[in-house]
Each structure stands twice: as structure tokens, then as C-alpha cells.
Amino acid sequence: MIVFNLSSYNPGHFVLVGIPGLEQFHVLIGIPFCMIYIVAVMGNCILLYLIAVERSLHEPMFFFLSMLAMTDLILSTAGVPKTLSIFWLGAREITFPGCLTQMFFLHYSFVLDSAILMAMAFDRYVAICSPLRYTTILTPKTIIKIVVGISFRSFCIILPVVFLLTRLPFCRTRIIPHTYCEHIGVARLACADISINIWYGFCFPVMTVISDVILIAVSYAFILSAVFRLPSRDARQKALGTCGSHVCVILMFYIPAFFSILAHRFGHNVPRTFHIMFANFYVIIPPALNPIVYGVKTKQIWDKVVLLFSKRSQL
């Protein structure tokens, strides 16, 4: 019988390698990472500011959009600052509690992002398929219930992941070949059976996201059916225009997410460097592009952005 030292359950520090094989380019790689992160922070903060101060944007669609912006800020901030400290400062060590905290917020914001996109699809479904009942269906009380529900669901799905890691003994290497702490990557360092970590980590979050995708697809099937029944071409174009930005964000979120998950799970022949680079791009690029897509393709937001910067230029 193997008896683990109690210290193995409190592993102290882990070491984040960064991007294996590209260590000599870390300083250069950090430059675009930093620039994209700045764009993500500025874009989402401007979006939150406009939605907060402009009464014309106090609608359910923009409330969900503000929640998406906050979640994107959590997603990028949970990963990028530590990544830049590895690239530029060589600060590779991270404590076990710090690793668990980073991992929780990264996975939590991912699952919550998916749930928000599902809620936004429901909002568009009601707006196009039942426009006369829009304000009676999506009341402030209903919106609060939706927000609390999807936030609590995401919390309940990800919290067990933390406890599954805390039960593991770490008596081997504590070197993580990544730029941030990720559930299975950390679990593989344990000197114990991690089959429950693998199955829970793959099945529950992924199946939850897949169920969100199915509900989004059903919503848009009803939306398209309703749009093509509209009598005029202008009405059809206007209805599709209100969904255009949402569809772009959905594609930017789910396509790379599923590619990364499947490549990580089944792509054993894919180089590790590609895995890690792609995982990092996924953390920073969607949060940077989402406010740009909504700003360009949503007229109400674009008009407010132009007005905001035209006022500043006159000062």
C-alpha cells in the first residue's frame, strides 16, 4: 500500500513553462498578446460604459451583451496577465491555490459565455417570433431569473472540478507545459488515478455546451422560419440584421472552442505547441473581437460610439 506524505496534497508551487519549444520567442510573442488584451479590455469597458449611461440601450438584448462583456473580461484577465508575466518577467511559479483560482475562473467564464449566448438567442427568438409580447415575456424580473439561473448553473458545473483536483496527491513533477492552469493538464501531474477527472472534465462541461448549441440552433430555426414569412424584403433584412452580430459572435466562440476541445481530447498527433498557442488565442481573441463585432454591426451601439468619440475630439 502506498502512503502519500500529507505535503503531497499541498503541492506548494507549480511551474508554468509557457509555450514549449518557443521559449526563445516568448518576449516577441508577448507583444501581440498584450496588444490584443488591451483591445479586449478597452472594447469591453467602452461597451459596458455605453450600455450603463445610455438609456436607449437599457433593453434585454443589451443587458445580456453587458453580461457577455463582463464575462469576457474575466476570461481574458484570468489568463493573459499571468501569461505576459511568464513571457516578459520569467515569473513561472504559481501557488496551488492560485492555480485552482485561475483554473476556476477560466472554465467558469467559458461555460457562462456559452449560457449567455443561449440567453441572447432566446432574446432574439422572442423579439422576432413574438414581437408584440416581447416586453411582457422578457420583463426585468424574468431577466434577473435568467441571469441568476445561468450563473448558478455554470458555478455548479465548474466547482466540482476544483474539489476533484484538491483530492489528488501531487508527488511527481509540478511542471505544467502551458501558459495557464487547465484542469486536465494539472490533473495529469498527480500520482493517482485521474479517470474521474477526465470523464467529468470532458462530459459535464462539454455536454452542457453542446446542449446550449442545440438550443441556439432550435431558436434560430424558428427565427429563420419567421423571417422568411415576413411580407417585405426590407422587413426580412432588418430582422436578419438584428441577428447578424449575434451569429458572428456565436461562430467565433463555438468553432474554435470545439476544435480546441476535440484536438485536445483526440488529436494526439497534433504538436503540443499548436495546442497551447491555439488555447491562448481562444482566451484573448474572442473577448477582443466581440465588442468590435457588436459595435460595427449594431447600429444603436455604433451611433453611440461615434457620438462618444466626437464629443471627446471637440473637448
Side-chain angles (χ1 to χ4, degrees):
M1 180 177 178
I2 300 175
V3 180
F4 295 109
N5 192 318
L6 286 177
S7 64
S8 66
Y9 287 87
N10 183 19
H13 291 81
F14 288 106
V15 176
L16 292 165
V17 172
I19 304 176
L22 297 178
E23 288 87 353
Q24 67 270 32
F25 302 110
H26 275 178
V27 174
L28 294 176
I29 295 172
I31 296 173
F33 272 55
C34 182
M35 294 175 64
I36 297 171
Y37 177 63
I38 291 171
V39 170
V41 171
M42 290 182 61
N44 284 291
C45 286
I46 291 172
L47 200 58
L48 288 169
Y49 172 77
L50 290 174
I51 293 172
V53 300
E54 294 293 340
R55 296 186 63 87
S56 62
L57 300 180
H58 293 178
E59 299 177 6
M61 179 180 75
F62 298 110
F63 184 82
F64 290 129
L65 180 56
S66 66
M67 191 176 178
L68 182 69
M70 287 187 286
T71 308
D72 282 343
L73 284 173
I74 294 172
L75 176 64
S76 56
T77 303
V80 178
K82 180 59 182 176
T83 299
L84 292 177
S85 72
I86 296 169
F87 288 167
W88 289 346
L89 304 177
R92 297 184 174 188
E93 286 193 348
I94 185 170
T95 63
F96 185 55
C99 189
L100 292 178
T101 302
Q102 184 189 51
M103 182 205 67
F104 173 81
F105 281 108
L106 284 170
H107 293 326
Y108 173 77
S109 54
F110 169 75
V111 176
L112 184 56
D113 258 347
S114 177
I116 294 169
L117 292 175
M118 178 184 64
M120 294 173 78
F122 175 70
D123 169 81
R124 293 299 83 203
Y125 163 75
V126 176
I128 292 174
C129 297
S130 301
L132 299 179
R133 300 175 57 203
Y134 183 74
T135 55
T136 58
I137 293 175
L138 287 173
T139 61
K141 187 176 181 180
T142 302
I143 294 171
I144 291 172
K145 288 181 179 179
I146 292 173
V147 170
V148 172
I150 61 178
S151 301
F152 185 69
R153 186 198 73 164
S154 302
F155 180 82
C156 291
I157 290 169
I158 299 303
L159 187 62
V161 172
V162 177
F163 289 106
L164 287 173
L165 282 179
T166 56
R167 72 181 181 86
L168 294 174
F170 295 89
C171 53
R172 293 201 292 261
T173 179
R174 294 167 190 168
I175 298 175
I176 304 173
H178 212 307
T179 56
Y180 56 79
C181 293
E182 179 265 331
H183 172 218
I184 300 301
V186 176
R188 284 176 176 158
L189 301 180
C191 45
D193 182 24
I194 63 168
S195 56
I196 187 172
N197 293 74
I198 293 173
W199 285 108
Y200 184 91
F202 182 74
C203 293
F204 279 83
V206 172
M207 295 312 297
T208 300
V209 172
I210 289 175
S211 67
D212 293 342
V213 172
I214 292 172
L215 291 173
I216 290 171
V218 170
S219 297
Y220 270 93
F222 284 113
I223 288 171
L224 291 175
S225 177
V227 165
F228 289 118
R229 287 201 304 268
L230 293 174
S232 69
R233 183 179 178 182
D234 290 340
R236 289 195 294 270
Q237 288 180 343
K238 184 178 179 181
L240 290 173
T242 62
C243 300
S245 54
H246 186 226
V247 171
C248 289
V249 170
I250 288 171
L251 294 176
M252 287 190 304
F253 179 82
Y254 285 114
I255 291 176
F258 280 116
F259 179 82
S260 181
I261 291 169
L262 293 174
H264 186 77
R265 186 72 175 88
F266 302 109
H268 303 296
N269 296 325
V270 179
R272 178 181 289 177
T273 301
F274 177 82
H275 276 296
I276 296 171
M277 284 292 291
F278 196 85
N280 277 280
F281 286 144
Y282 176 73
V283 168
I284 60 173
I285 290 180
L289 291 181
N290 287 350
I292 296 174
V293 169
Y294 271 102
V296 172
K297 294 186 72 66
T298 306
K299 188 177 185 301
Q300 297 105 307
I301 295 177
W302 178 250
D303 291 343
K304 300 303 179 185
V305 170
V306 172
L307 183 63
L308 175 66
F309 284 98
S310 63
K311 284 182 179 179
R312 288 183 176 273
S313 64
Q314 294 172 4
L315 294 178

